[in-house]
Amino acid sequence: DTLWDLAIAEVKKRENPDDDVKQGEVCEKTILFMGNKNGGKTTIILRCLEREETPKPTLALEYTFGRRARRHNTPKDIAHFWELGGGTSLLELIRIPITSYNIRSFAVVLVLDLSKPNELWTTMENLLQVTRNHVNKILAKLEKTNPEVAAELKQRMRNNLQRDHPDYELVDPFPIPLLIIGSKYDTFHEFDSELRKIISKTLRFVSHYYGASLVFTSKSEALLLKARVLINHLAFGYDKSKSVSVDPSKPLFIPAGLDSLSQIGPPPASDSDIGKMRANTPLELWKKVFEKTFPPKSFCDLQDTKDPAQDTQYAEYEVDVMRAQKNQ
């Protein structure tokens, strides 16, 4: 083969990473973890990769990877894990891991801290909005350069819901696979049962509306294992579980496409309250109902104000001495 032949083959491979990975070929997927600050993202990643490390706070954007073999004596598939730190304060960094090269094998894991319901909607809305806008820009470019791939991506997100599903026309799937994890279930479990019901119901609606999977987890091994099943499905293409748990008194576990608006029911508010709320979309209505019970913290409160240069875990003696001298 000439150098040109090899280059053409490489480009074709990059454009079609999912075309029935041939025997012996390595499959690569990329996952971006984001969510509340101190919400447990690093802990979940370490457990997925079976690493016994103590999690450190994430600064900006961190990268790690995992490898798994599908069968005995086959090369190991690779999953790239990116983690966005700082809650919603570093949104523009989302552009770094999501590119037109890896968009076909990309997924997002949104980790929401169930113990902080007042931050929940703002965090979710800001992170998903920025991600969706960036992905849509990539898709718009692909429509010009590679329309087949763009069409396939759009269709693939619709495939989570069977065409005969009663909600097929009522939902608005996220443009790439999405998993929503509610973390710190142990703290959440001690909330009043009515409050738990509102949070659970709202997250079920949002997940179903976006064509996402939903799972509640905590530091308990059994719950982490359930989250791992869904993450391994995104990272290594393992089968996703068919089991479903929608009981609000237990941790939720709902793989994408297995819920329905009729099972979720209407937003948890009286008819007269709902009548007074002005909303253009179902999502907006749920937001208003949710924020009536849990008034949101302002976006500024969620911004990260700590200076990472003062953080002891990044101390470097020579640099710090020079810096102190300069400040003086």
Side-chain angles (χ1 to χ4, degrees):
D1 285 359
T2 67
L3 202 53
W4 281 115
D5 295 331
L6 293 170
I8 291 166
E10 174 64 22
V11 168
K12 277 192 177 147
K13 197 172 96 188
R14 281 188 182 183
E15 284 173 354
N16 308 312
D18 278 346
D19 284 2
D20 298 326
V21 180
K22 294 175 191 61
Q23 189 72 35
E25 260 188 34
V26 171
C27 175
E28 290 191 37
K29 306 241 177 179
T30 310
I31 297 183
L32 171 62
F33 284 76
M34 54 193 188
N36 291 81
K37 194 172 162 50
N38 303 324
K41 300 182 288 296
T42 312
T43 307
I44 292 168
I45 292 173
L46 290 174
R47 289 305 301 120
C48 269
L49 299 174
E50 294 170 13
R51 288 193 198 150
E52 300 294 330
E53 294 167 31
T54 312
K56 290 195 185 85
T58 302
L59 183 78
L61 192 63
E62 293 199 0
Y63 169 82
T64 185
F65 67 93
R67 292 190 143 139
R68 295 275 157 84
R70 259 165 300 170
R71 285 177 296 280
H72 189 55
N73 283 343
T74 57
K76 292 184 172 180
D77 292 337
I78 301 169
H80 306 278
F81 289 96
W82 290 88
E83 182 188 353
L84 180 72
T88 53
S89 58
L90 299 164
L91 291 171
E92 62 281 6
L93 292 180
I94 283 171
R95 297 198 303 266
I96 295 169
I98 311 179
T99 66
S100 50
Y101 277 129
N102 64 17
I103 190 81
R104 287 181 74 187
S105 54
F106 203 96
V108 169
V109 176
L110 176 65
V111 180
L112 297 171
D113 186 338
L114 296 173
S115 68
K116 297 179 184 164
N118 299 72
E119 294 178 16
L120 200 140
W121 195 285
T122 317
T123 302
M124 172 176 75
E125 188 173 56
N126 286 309
L127 287 168
L128 291 184
Q129 218 164 14
V130 172
T131 308
R132 184 170 220 154
N133 292 344
H134 178 59
V135 170
N136 284 342
K137 274 184 198 157
I138 291 176
L139 287 177
K141 269 189 198 156
L142 277 177
E143 273 172 350
K144 291 176 187 153
T145 57
N146 201 335
E148 294 91 8
V149 172
E152 180 210 321
L153 273 166
K154 286 184 174 173
Q155 187 48 47
R156 199 169 68 188
M157 282 324 294
R158 278 267 166 213
N159 291 347
N160 267 338
L161 227 50
Q162 304 300 324
R163 269 193 181 279
D164 55 1
H165 194 291
D167 307 334
Y168 190 78
E169 294 300 331
L170 303 172
V171 297
D172 181 18
F174 203 66
I176 50 179
L178 173 66
L179 163 61
I180 297 176
I181 296 181
S183 65
K184 305 199 181 169
Y185 177 78
D186 38 357
T187 311
F188 168 78
H189 191 56
E190 288 161 16
F191 286 9
D192 174 74
S193 67
E194 271 314 299
L195 298 181
R196 283 209 314 265
K197 209 183 262 177
I198 293 172
I199 298 170
S200 297
K201 222 174 168 186
T202 303
L203 285 177
R204 275 181 71 186
F205 171 78
V206 170
S207 300
H208 184 58
Y209 188 74
Y210 282 139
S213 298
L214 174 67
V215 61
F216 283 1
T217 186
S218 70
K219 284 186 176 162
S220 103
E221 203 54 45
L223 287 185
L224 274 167
L225 208 64
K226 289 193 149 192
R228 268 176 66 183
V229 167
L230 292 173
I231 294 169
N232 280 337
H233 168 68
L234 297 175
F236 300 105
Y238 289 11
D239 291 344
K240 67 175 174 195
S241 171
K242 288 276 188 286
S243 74
V244 176
S245 168
V246 294
D247 181 347
S249 63
K250 298 193 176 98
L252 297 181
F253 180 86
I254 311 168
L258 297 185
D259 212 341
S260 71
L261 293 174
S262 58
Q263 280 178 297
I264 297 165
S270 67
D271 290 349
S272 60
D273 279 351
I274 287 179
K276 288 179 203 150
M277 291 176 184
R278 301 212 161 161
N280 297 324
T281 64
L283 198 65
E284 215 175 296
L285 180 64
W286 278 82
K287 176 184 178 177
K288 288 188 170 169
V289 171
F290 184 79
E291 291 186 341
K292 196 167 187 275
T293 311
F294 303 105
K297 282 194 168 183
S298 77
F299 191 47
C300 308
D301 294 345
L302 297 180
Q303 296 285 355
D304 203 7
T305 48
K306 249 175 59 184
D307 177 5
Q310 307 301 327
D311 194 326
T312 50
Q313 70 165 317
Y314 306 111
E316 279 188 53
Y317 180 72
E318 284 88 351
V319 177
D320 295 340
V321 168
M322 293 303 287
R323 191 180 176 117
Q325 197 178 325
K326 184 168 189 285
N327 289 343
Q328 199 179 343

